[in-house]
Amino acid sequence: MVGTEDQFLTQDIHEEKAMLIVEQQLEKGTIEMKHDEPVLHHIPSGAKFESAVNMAHFHKGWEARGEVSQ
């Protein structure tokens, strides 16, 4: 058996919640955004995103793996 739906639940992150997550991580210094570029840079991993929703999903996955923020 490969797995059940319960084992692989994903969290739906809508735009408002994504912006909250991104804002929190900007305050912590985990994410940076240059004033002249609409790109979110996830400092610990080096990943870059133009979408707050994509960044929020990535960060939640990164946290789930047990990575440590700065």
Side-chain angles (χ1 to χ4, degrees):
M1 184 171 162
V2 174
T4 66
E5 186 176 342
D6 290 338
Q7 290 174 308
F8 301 105
L9 292 176
T10 58
Q11 183 178 18
D12 184 32
I13 300 176
H14 51 82
E15 187 71 31
E16 185 178 321
K17 185 171 184 174
M19 289 304 296
L20 178 62
I21 291 168
V22 167
E23 287 174 12
Q24 290 170 341
Q25 297 311 310
L26 282 166
E27 289 175 9
K28 290 180 179 180
T30 306
I31 295 174
E32 287 184 348
M33 187 171 103
K34 293 183 180 179
H35 296 289
D36 59 343
E37 292 182 27
V39 177
L40 298 163
H41 180 213
H42 190 255
I43 302 302
S45 68
K48 295 181 182 183
F49 299 90
E50 293 181 12
S51 161
V53 173
N54 289 344
M55 174 60 83
H57 276 287
F58 175 83
H59 183 72
K60 286 297 183 184
W62 179 80
E63 284 182 327
R65 284 187 12 216
E67 298 289 344
V68 178
S69 294
Q70 291 184 359

